[in-house]
PDB file of all heavy atoms in Angstrom:
ATOM      1  N   ARG K 177     -16.706 -17.507  19.389  1.00 80.00           N
ATOM      2  CA  ARG K 177     -17.443 -17.993  20.667  1.00 80.00           C
ATOM      3  C   ARG K 177     -18.079 -16.718  21.259  1.00 80.00           C
ATOM      4  O   ARG K 177     -19.323 -16.759  21.589  1.00 80.00           O
ATOM      5  CB  ARG K 177     -16.600 -18.566  21.617  1.00 80.00           C
ATOM      6  CG  ARG K 177     -16.349 -20.031  21.366  1.00 80.00           C
ATOM      7  CD  ARG K 177     -15.215 -20.592  22.160  1.00 80.00           C
ATOM      8  NE  ARG K 177     -15.705 -20.691  23.717  1.00 80.00           N
ATOM      9  CZ  ARG K 177     -14.948 -21.018  24.559  1.00 80.00           C
ATOM     10  NH1 ARG K 177     -13.686 -21.527  24.173  1.00 80.00           N
ATOM     11  NH2 ARG K 177     -15.258 -21.130  25.707  1.00 80.00           N
ATOM     12  N   ARG K 180     -21.236 -15.971  19.013  1.00 85.00           N
ATOM     13  CA  ARG K 180     -22.455 -16.911  19.349  1.00 85.00           C
ATOM     14  C   ARG K 180     -23.122 -16.527  20.649  1.00 85.00           C
ATOM     15  O   ARG K 180     -24.203 -16.607  20.719  1.00 85.00           O
ATOM     16  CB  ARG K 180     -21.934 -18.398  19.372  1.00 85.00           C
ATOM     17  CG  ARG K 180     -21.556 -18.762  17.835  1.00 85.00           C
ATOM     18  CD  ARG K 180     -21.779 -20.227  17.821  1.00 85.00           C
ATOM     19  NE  ARG K 180     -21.248 -20.995  18.893  1.00 85.00           N
ATOM     20  CZ  ARG K 180     -19.970 -21.271  19.067  1.00 85.00           C
ATOM     21  NH1 ARG K 180     -19.060 -20.869  18.208  1.00 85.00           N
ATOM     22  NH2 ARG K 180     -19.552 -21.844  20.103  1.00 85.00           N
ATOM     23  N   GLN K 181     -22.268 -16.138  21.669  1.00 83.00           N
ATOM     24  CA  GLN K 181     -22.856 -15.738  22.876  1.00 83.00           C
ATOM     25  C   GLN K 181     -23.778 -14.395  22.743  1.00 83.00           C
ATOM     26  O   GLN K 181     -24.843 -14.449  23.274  1.00 83.00           O
ATOM     27  CB  GLN K 181     -21.735 -15.440  23.886  1.00 83.00           C
ATOM     28  CG  GLN K 181     -22.151 -15.299  25.360  1.00 83.00           C
ATOM     29  CD  GLN K 181     -21.108 -14.990  26.237  1.00 83.00           C
ATOM     30  OE1 GLN K 181     -19.884 -15.251  25.972  1.00 83.00           O
ATOM     31  NE2 GLN K 181     -21.309 -14.146  27.209  1.00 83.00           N
ATOM     32  N   LEU K 182     -23.285 -13.612  21.880  1.00 88.00           N
ATOM     33  CA  LEU K 182     -24.117 -12.357  21.672  1.00 88.00           C
ATOM     34  C   LEU K 182     -25.362 -12.689  21.106  1.00 88.00           C
ATOM     35  O   LEU K 182     -26.456 -12.146  21.441  1.00 88.00           O
ATOM     36  CB  LEU K 182     -23.256 -11.374  20.802  1.00 88.00           C
ATOM     37  CG  LEU K 182     -22.175 -10.570  21.409  1.00 88.00           C
ATOM     38  CD1 LEU K 182     -21.425  -9.934  20.267  1.00 88.00           C
ATOM     39  CD2 LEU K 182     -22.752  -9.537  22.488  1.00 88.00           C
ATOM     40  N   ALA K 183     -25.329 -13.598  20.140  1.00 89.00           N
ATOM     41  CA  ALA K 183     -26.605 -13.984  19.373  1.00 89.00           C
ATOM     42  C   ALA K 183     -27.484 -14.623  20.393  1.00 89.00           C
ATOM     43  O   ALA K 183     -28.737 -14.473  20.308  1.00 89.00           O
ATOM     44  CB  ALA K 183     -26.200 -14.948  18.272  1.00 89.00           C
ATOM     45  N   HIS K 184     -26.826 -15.377  21.312  1.00 86.00           N
ATOM     46  CA  HIS K 184     -27.775 -16.135  22.302  1.00 86.00           C
ATOM     47  C   HIS K 184     -28.489 -15.193  23.140  1.00 86.00           C
ATOM     48  O   HIS K 184     -29.635 -15.309  23.622  1.00 86.00           O
ATOM     49  CB  HIS K 184     -26.867 -17.083  23.123  1.00 86.00           C
ATOM     50  CG  HIS K 184     -27.652 -17.994  23.921  1.00 86.00           C
ATOM     51  ND1 HIS K 184     -28.456 -19.005  23.528  1.00 86.00           N
ATOM     52  CD2 HIS K 184     -27.811 -17.980  25.281  1.00 86.00           C
ATOM     53  CE1 HIS K 184     -29.036 -19.637  24.410  1.00 86.00           C
ATOM     54  NE2 HIS K 184     -28.673 -18.954  25.699  1.00 86.00           N
TER      55      HIS K 184
ATOM     56  N   ILE W 250     -24.959 -30.796  22.652  1.00 82.00           N
ATOM     57  CA  ILE W 250     -25.328 -30.372  24.010  1.00 82.00           C
ATOM     58  C   ILE W 250     -26.518 -29.513  23.937  1.00 82.00           C
ATOM     59  O   ILE W 250     -26.867 -29.026  22.871  1.00 82.00           O
ATOM     60  CB  ILE W 250     -24.209 -29.717  24.777  1.00 82.00           C
ATOM     61  CG1 ILE W 250     -23.735 -28.520  23.919  1.00 82.00           C
ATOM     62  CG2 ILE W 250     -23.089 -30.638  25.075  1.00 82.00           C
ATOM     63  CD1 ILE W 250     -22.706 -27.661  24.624  1.00 82.00           C
ATOM     64  N   THR W 251     -27.196 -29.387  25.122  1.00 80.00           N
ATOM     65  CA  THR W 251     -28.238 -28.448  25.196  1.00 80.00           C
ATOM     66  C   THR W 251     -27.775 -27.231  26.014  1.00 80.00           C
ATOM     67  O   THR W 251     -26.828 -27.324  26.762  1.00 80.00           O
ATOM     68  CB  THR W 251     -29.500 -29.046  25.931  1.00 80.00           C
ATOM     69  OG1 THR W 251     -29.013 -29.585  27.195  1.00 80.00           O
ATOM     70  CG2 THR W 251     -30.124 -30.060  25.090  1.00 80.00           C
ATOM     71  N   GLY W 252     -28.447 -26.000  25.817  1.00 67.00           N
ATOM     72  CA  GLY W 252     -27.956 -24.904  26.608  1.00 67.00           C
ATOM     73  C   GLY W 252     -26.438 -24.584  26.290  1.00 67.00           C
ATOM     74  O   GLY W 252     -25.759 -24.356  27.239  1.00 67.00           O
ATOM     75  N   ARG W 253     -26.148 -24.585  25.059  1.00 58.00           N
ATOM     76  CA  ARG W 253     -24.786 -24.564  24.637  1.00 58.00           C
ATOM     77  C   ARG W 253     -23.958 -23.403  25.289  1.00 58.00           C
ATOM     78  O   ARG W 253     -22.839 -23.765  25.797  1.00 58.00           O
ATOM     79  CB  ARG W 253     -24.763 -24.452  23.073  1.00 58.00           C
ATOM     80  CG  ARG W 253     -23.386 -24.651  22.599  1.00 58.00           C
ATOM     81  CD  ARG W 253     -23.385 -25.146  21.178  1.00 58.00           C
ATOM     82  NE  ARG W 253     -23.595 -23.947  20.297  1.00 58.00           N
ATOM     83  CZ  ARG W 253     -23.779 -24.069  19.016  1.00 58.00           C
ATOM     84  NH1 ARG W 253     -23.824 -25.128  18.514  1.00 58.00           N
ATOM     85  NH2 ARG W 253     -23.852 -22.948  18.247  1.00 58.00           N
ATOM     86  N   HIS W 254     -24.500 -22.367  25.277  1.00 63.00           N
ATOM     87  CA  HIS W 254     -23.624 -21.207  25.675  1.00 63.00           C
ATOM     88  C   HIS W 254     -23.112 -21.171  27.032  1.00 63.00           C
ATOM     89  O   HIS W 254     -21.979 -20.709  27.219  1.00 63.00           O
ATOM     90  CB  HIS W 254     -24.290 -19.894  25.137  1.00 63.00           C
ATOM     91  CG  HIS W 254     -24.712 -19.994  23.726  1.00 63.00           C
ATOM     92  ND1 HIS W 254     -23.890 -19.774  22.751  1.00 63.00           N
ATOM     93  CD2 HIS W 254     -25.844 -20.363  23.203  1.00 63.00           C
ATOM     94  CE1 HIS W 254     -24.376 -19.995  21.542  1.00 63.00           C
ATOM     95  NE2 HIS W 254     -25.682 -20.366  21.791  1.00 63.00           N
ATOM     96  N   GLN W 255     -23.945 -21.524  27.934  1.00 70.00           N
ATOM     97  CA  GLN W 255     -23.341 -21.577  29.298  1.00 70.00           C
ATOM     98  C   GLN W 255     -22.446 -22.647  29.530  1.00 70.00           C
ATOM     99  O   GLN W 255     -21.495 -22.582  30.292  1.00 70.00           O
ATOM    100  CB  GLN W 255     -24.555 -21.743  30.279  1.00 70.00           C
ATOM    101  CG  GLN W 255     -25.636 -20.511  30.319  1.00 70.00           C
ATOM    102  CD  GLN W 255     -26.615 -20.549  29.275  1.00 70.00           C
ATOM    103  OE1 GLN W 255     -26.495 -21.420  28.281  1.00 70.00           O
ATOM    104  NE2 GLN W 255     -27.593 -19.819  29.412  1.00 70.00           N
ATOM    105  N   VAL W 256     -22.782 -23.729  28.770  1.00 78.00           N
ATOM    106  CA  VAL W 256     -22.051 -25.062  29.125  1.00 78.00           C
ATOM    107  C   VAL W 256     -20.704 -24.951  28.433  1.00 78.00           C
ATOM    108  O   VAL W 256     -19.638 -25.540  28.926  1.00 78.00           O
ATOM    109  CB  VAL W 256     -22.848 -26.286  28.545  1.00 78.00           C
ATOM    110  CG1 VAL W 256     -22.055 -27.481  28.560  1.00 78.00           C
ATOM    111  CG2 VAL W 256     -24.161 -26.360  29.181  1.00 78.00           C
ATOM    112  N   GLU W 257     -20.480 -24.243  27.349  1.00 78.00           N
ATOM    113  CA  GLU W 257     -19.312 -24.329  26.528  1.00 78.00           C
ATOM    114  C   GLU W 257     -18.096 -23.947  27.506  1.00 78.00           C
ATOM    115  O   GLU W 257     -17.094 -24.567  27.327  1.00 78.00           O
ATOM    116  CB  GLU W 257     -19.374 -23.264  25.370  1.00 78.00           C
ATOM    117  CG  GLU W 257     -19.048 -24.015  24.040  1.00 78.00           C
ATOM    118  CD  GLU W 257     -19.084 -22.998  22.903  1.00 78.00           C
ATOM    119  OE1 GLU W 257     -18.109 -22.331  22.821  1.00 78.00           O
ATOM    120  OE2 GLU W 257     -20.115 -23.053  22.110  1.00 78.00           O
ATOM    121  N   ASP W 258     -18.263 -22.840  28.215  1.00 78.00           N
ATOM    122  CA  ASP W 258     -17.185 -22.420  28.997  1.00 78.00           C
ATOM    123  C   ASP W 258     -16.810 -23.459  30.041  1.00 78.00           C
ATOM    124  O   ASP W 258     -15.508 -23.665  30.286  1.00 78.00           O
ATOM    125  CB  ASP W 258     -17.554 -21.104  29.797  1.00 78.00           C
ATOM    126  CG  ASP W 258     -17.692 -20.022  28.827  1.00 78.00           C
ATOM    127  OD1 ASP W 258     -17.002 -19.957  27.741  1.00 78.00           O
ATOM    128  OD2 ASP W 258     -18.482 -18.972  29.093  1.00 78.00           O
ATOM    129  N   LEU W 259     -17.832 -24.116  30.533  1.00 84.00           N
ATOM    130  CA  LEU W 259     -17.517 -25.291  31.423  1.00 84.00           C
ATOM    131  C   LEU W 259     -16.795 -26.342  30.701  1.00 84.00           C
ATOM    132  O   LEU W 259     -15.852 -26.927  31.352  1.00 84.00           O
ATOM    133  CB  LEU W 259     -18.934 -25.788  31.920  1.00 84.00           C
ATOM    134  CG  LEU W 259     -18.949 -26.623  33.095  1.00 84.00           C
ATOM    135  CD1 LEU W 259     -18.483 -25.928  34.271  1.00 84.00           C
ATOM    136  CD2 LEU W 259     -20.402 -27.137  33.365  1.00 84.00           C
TER     137      LEU W 259
END
Side-chain angles (χ1 to χ4, degrees):
Chain K
R177 279 171 66 183
R180 288 206 317 281
Q181 192 185 326
L182 284 171
H184 188 72
Chain W
I250 53 172
T251 54
R253 188 157 84 183
H254 305 281
Q255 295 85 342
V256 175
E257 234 184 79
D258 291 332
L259 195 61

